[in-house]
Amino acid sequence: MFGKWKYEKPDGSPVFIAFRSSTKKSVQYDDVPEYKDRLSLSENYTLSISNARISDEKRFVCMLVTEDNVFEAPTIVKVFKQPSKPEIVRKALFLETEQLKKLGDCISEDSYPDGNITWYRNGKVLHPLEGAVVIIFKKEMDPVTQLYTMTSTLEYKTTKADIQMPFTCSVTYYGPSGQKTVHSEQAVFDIYYPTEQVTIQVLPPKTAIKEGDNVTLKCLGNGNPPPEEFLFYLPGQPEGIRSSNTYTLTDVRRNATGDYKCSLIDKKSMIASTAITVHYLDLSLNPSGEVTRQIGDALPVSCTISASRNATVVWMKDNIRLRSSPSFSSLHYQDAGNYVCETALQEVEGLKKRESLTLIVEGKPQIKMTKKTDPSGLSKTIICHVEGFPKPAIQWTITGSGSVINQTEESPYINGRYYSKIIISPEENVTLTCTAENQLERTVNSLNVSAISIPEHDEADEISDENREKVNDQAKLIVGIVVGLLLAALVAGVVYWLYMKKSK
């Protein structure tokens, strides 16, 4: 005939909420405020409740009335609310080793029924441990919504093994399909731990330090956070200098060589040291600068090196490398020039020294005159060879008659020497005078030249320096060959004598 729905209060009293007649095909809803506009009763007496609430968790009873009987059947409705994703809040800014400190709170809100919270370290469950792991759990229910908020506080005693170690938490709750678990995001904490060792560095990291460099010492502690101040100890100074983690030495000298140390301010026994060698290079050239000497003078030259390690020495003359250091027992004009003594430490970049000597060899003019008759017999060549420095000026004077074919042809001035020549066809005996003059002296020499018709002995030209060197080299070669042959003959004789003695 009709059907009714009711629910039971905690004390067991019924509250009717919906009615449907099978004859009148009508539906009525009782005036129950908490179900206003939330109920729907179908023709087959199916009751639907929209917008479920926690208060809907009740025992509902369906009543069907016939002409001759009343039937009732109960059902218990359970309501679930999935909690919010757990979140670690009020996290510690840092954790300190060997100290029990609050790590943070894990909160999960709006759950029904309530759930449980679990803490994890690197994915493994954390269980309470006296003095090391303390977990405090509490739950609160909102009186209006009747939803639960779960909060779990973790106090944790950290170690250095927890560096970069992730911590998480999870909430376990019950739903229509059973138990479920939701995890929080990972949280990584900055772990503070004391310094156990200090180290000292030299900046910039060079293979070698030289005089004039700036050197920065850097002291580091392996704690977290790292120490910001240190004591720096310089060689020969027992008292430390308080500074930040760097200490700079400017324009270092060789006396800065030694052991440098640094330590913690509050723990001087924790100390580190490093040895610094400041390389140096001194060069003394004696004489140096511009030096003027007379030809034939002796001039001792010394290039003295003082260095922190073995140094290479190179001598240059007029930008040409010399095989050995110069030594002058008797100066020649070709000895004049610009000498440079240069030294360097190969292992130390940029450590080079050089000193220069500009040698000027002076000499009074020296004259030698030669003559040579042309094979045709029509002319004679008179040459005035002059040696001296500064370069002497040459002037010719002719006494007598004769035609000058080519006058004052000069050679290049090399190594203090040059010549001037005149080609002449004398008609009678003449005298040629060669005058050479520089800032030191004036020198005159004369040569009598017979007429073309009178034969006379010619004087050979001087051997040039270059030819003289070639002759000397050839002579040395010949002497070497002769000495070699004599030694070979001597060795052969000794071998023959030994052979004959052994035979006898």
Side-chain angles (χ1 to χ4, degrees):
M1 296 174 60
F2 62 88
K4 272 190 174 185
W5 278 95
K6 65 180 179 181
Y7 69 84
E8 296 177 352
K9 289 183 177 182
D11 60 2
S13 60
V15 177
F16 289 95
I17 56 175
F19 168 86
R20 186 179 185 96
S21 171
S22 63
T23 57
K24 296 181 179 181
K25 306 294 184 182
S26 62
V27 179
Q28 292 179 359
Y29 300 102
D30 294 88
D31 187 14
V32 180
E34 65 174 309
Y35 287 107
K36 183 177 177 59
D37 300 329
R38 290 201 302 135
L39 301 178
S40 176
L41 185 59
S42 67
E43 290 184 0
N44 65 355
Y45 303 103
T46 298
L47 179 67
S48 298
I49 304 174
S50 63
N51 191 19
R53 300 173 183 174
I54 301 301
S55 58
D56 293 334
E57 186 168 289
K58 299 170 181 174
R59 186 173 186 268
F60 290 84
V61 180
C62 171
M63 298 175 57
L64 292 179
V65 180
T66 65
E67 291 181 353
D68 53 5
N69 206 348
V70 175
F71 300 93
E72 288 189 358
T75 183
I76 296 175
V77 174
K78 300 291 292 184
V79 179
F80 298 92
K81 169 66 172 65
Q82 178 180 334
S84 64
K85 182 177 180 179
E87 182 181 4
I88 301 177
V89 298
R90 294 183 284 276
K91 293 183 287 188
L93 297 177
F94 58 89
L95 301 177
E96 295 183 76
T97 56
E98 305 307 321
Q99 292 190 22
L100 186 65
K101 187 174 181 179
K102 178 181 174 180
L103 184 143
D105 293 329
C106 180
I107 295 180
S108 180
E109 299 176 325
D110 299 336
S111 173
Y112 191 86
D114 61 330
N116 290 319
I117 291 180
T118 305
W119 283 94
Y120 303 85
R121 174 191 176 275
N122 195 29
K124 294 184 179 180
V125 176
L126 281 173
H127 298 285
L129 180 64
E130 184 178 356
V133 180
V134 176
I135 299 174
I136 302 172
F137 177 79
K138 66 178 181 179
K139 61 181 178 180
E140 296 176 347
M141 185 183 73
D142 189 310
V144 177
T145 64
Q146 296 184 322
L147 298 178
Y148 289 93
T149 295
M150 289 78 66
T151 303
S152 179
T153 301
L154 173 63
E155 294 181 2
Y156 185 75
K157 186 177 182 180
T158 189
T159 66
K160 289 179 70 174
D162 295 315
I163 296 174
Q164 297 299 316
M165 199 63 66
F167 287 81
T168 57
C169 66
S170 71
V171 60
T172 301
Y173 66 95
Y174 286 90
S177 59
Q179 183 175 288
K180 292 187 177 181
T181 301
V182 179
H183 290 269
S184 70
E185 299 292 337
Q186 291 183 348
V188 177
F189 296 86
D190 192 10
I191 308 298
Y192 281 13
Y193 48 89
T195 295
E196 298 173 350
Q197 182 182 9
V198 294
T199 57
I200 188 170
Q201 300 175 349
V202 179
L203 303 176
K206 291 184 176 180
T207 55
I209 299 170
K210 64 181 182 299
E211 286 191 320
D213 285 347
N214 294 337
V215 179
T216 298
L217 301 173
K218 186 173 184 179
C219 201
L220 301 171
N222 65 347
N224 184 39
E228 295 181 353
E229 281 192 319
F230 295 88
L231 288 175
F232 287 87
Y233 301 88
L234 307 186
Q237 298 184 17
E239 294 297 324
I241 300 173
R242 188 165 184 160
S243 175
S244 64
N245 66 339
T246 59
Y247 183 81
T248 300
L249 306 166
T250 59
D251 191 24
V252 294
R253 301 287 103 188
R254 64 194 66 180
N255 58 2
T257 296
D259 290 331
Y260 291 79
K261 302 176 182 179
C262 73
S263 72
L264 296 179
I265 297 290
D266 55 353
K267 198 172 183 181
K268 297 181 181 180
S269 60
M270 193 174 295
I271 196 166
S273 66
T274 184
I276 291 180
T277 300
V278 180
H279 292 281
Y280 63 90
L281 178 61
D282 296 333
L283 185 150
S284 176
L285 178 61
N286 186 32
S288 61
E290 186 173 301
V291 175
T292 301
R293 291 289 187 273
Q294 296 295 314
I295 189 169
D297 288 352
L299 179 65
V301 177
S302 64
C303 185
T304 304
I305 307 299
S306 176
S308 55
R309 59 175 62 174
N310 291 334
T312 58
V313 179
V314 175
W315 274 97
M316 308 282 288
K317 179 188 178 185
D318 299 329
N319 296 322
I320 298 176
R321 184 167 180 171
L322 300 178
R323 295 180 180 178
S324 61
S325 59
S327 179
F328 309 108
S329 58
S330 178
L331 287 171
H332 299 85
Y333 290 117
Q334 58 265 35
D335 295 327
N338 184 45
Y339 293 85
V340 174
C341 178
E342 184 175 273
T343 183
L345 291 185
Q346 299 296 335
E347 301 87 350
V348 184
E349 182 181 357
L351 192 53
K352 296 181 179 180
K353 292 290 180 67
R354 58 183 294 162
E355 292 286 342
S356 62
L357 163 66
T358 301
L359 177 59
I360 300 172
V361 180
E362 290 186 341
K364 301 174 183 179
Q366 302 291 328
I367 296 177
K368 181 178 180 181
M369 300 183 70
T370 60
K371 60 184 177 180
K372 186 176 182 180
T373 303
D374 188 80
S376 65
L378 300 177
S379 65
K380 294 186 177 183
T381 300
I382 314 302
I383 303 175
C384 180
H385 301 271
V386 178
E387 186 177 30
F389 186 86
K391 180 182 178 180
I394 297 177
Q395 184 177 1
W396 286 93
T397 304
I398 303 175
T399 304
S401 61
S403 59
V404 177
I405 299 174
N406 189 346
Q407 184 176 355
T408 63
E409 179 184 339
E410 292 186 357
S411 69
Y413 181 66
I414 300 174
N415 291 332
R417 296 180 180 183
Y418 80 115
Y419 64 82
S420 176
K421 66 181 179 179
I422 290 180
I423 302 174
I424 188 171
S425 296
E427 299 173 358
E428 60 182 24
N429 294 344
V430 297
T431 300
L432 273 73
T433 301
C434 177
T435 302
E437 182 177 8
N438 63 9
Q439 290 89 328
L440 301 178
E441 195 172 277
R442 183 171 182 268
T443 304
V444 180
N445 200 354
S446 299
L447 183 66
N448 295 322
V449 181
S450 302
I452 291 298
S453 58
I454 302 174
E456 61 181 337
H457 175 70
D458 290 339
E459 297 182 23
D461 293 340
E462 279 196 338
I463 300 175
S464 66
D465 289 339
E466 183 179 353
N467 291 334
R468 183 180 290 109
E469 291 180 1
K470 290 181 179 178
V471 170
N472 290 337
D473 291 342
Q474 291 175 354
K476 291 177 182 178
L477 179 61
I478 293 171
V479 170
I481 293 173
V482 172
V483 171
L485 291 173
L486 290 174
L487 288 174
L490 179 61
V491 171
V494 171
V495 171
Y496 180 74
W497 178 75
L498 291 173
Y499 172 74
M500 293 300 295
K501 184 177 179 181
K502 185 177 181 182
S503 297
K504 291 181 179 181

